[in-house]
Each structure stands twice: as structure tokens, then as C-alpha cells.
Amino acid sequence: MEVSYKKLWKILIDKDMKKKDLQAAAGISWASVTKLSKGETVSMEVLMKVCKTLNCDIGDIMELIPTKDNETT
């Protein structure tokens, strides 16, 4: 499975926030923001800080996308 954070970037646009604003407000490292930008996995702690900062649920900022390897035929 792959992780998509497209929902997170849409929320940031809607709130007129930049990635650096999220990083500062959530108290997460720049390395974590970079991982989010690349669609890589981050710790649950990072996701919880982002959700708390944006006052949203985890499903509002990310989704899991099945890959061909995970599909059953």
C-alpha cells in the first residue's frame, strides 16, 4: 500500500498555510514535513500532532492507496 497526503495539502491551501507554517505550529521536524511531501510514511505521533494542529481526524489528512502488489485477482 502507498500513502497519499493530498488531503493534507488541500487543507493547508484552504487554511492559507505553508508547509513551514504547519511545521512550526505542529512542532514537527522539517524531516517529517519532507517525508510527508514525498508520500513516505511518518510516525503516528507526527500524524497526531498534525491532526491536533489542524483540528481534524487522521482520515482528513491521508489515505491508503492499494498497489498492484496488494490487489487480489
Side-chain angles (χ1 to χ4, degrees):
M1 294 215 145
E2 292 182 7
V3 179
S4 172
Y5 299 106
K6 287 181 182 178
K7 292 179 175 183
L8 171 59
W9 310 132
K10 182 173 182 342
I11 290 172
L12 290 184
I13 290 168
D14 292 344
K15 292 183 178 278
D16 196 28
M17 289 179 74
K18 293 181 173 28
K19 291 177 184 177
K20 66 179 181 178
D21 299 329
L22 175 66
Q23 186 253 333
I28 58 176
S29 70
W30 190 249
S32 293
V33 176
T34 301
K35 282 185 172 188
L36 290 168
S37 298
K38 293 180 178 181
E40 297 176 2
T41 57
V42 295
S43 72
M44 184 59 88
E45 182 180 354
V46 169
L47 295 174
M48 288 169 46
K49 286 180 178 181
V50 170
C51 288
K52 183 176 180 182
T53 300
L54 298 175
N55 195 26
C56 65
D57 191 82
I58 196 163
D60 297 332
I61 63 168
M62 65 170 287
E63 61 185 342
L64 296 175
I65 302 171
T67 59
K68 295 219 181 240
D69 296 339
N70 292 5
E71 292 177 359
T72 56
T73 54

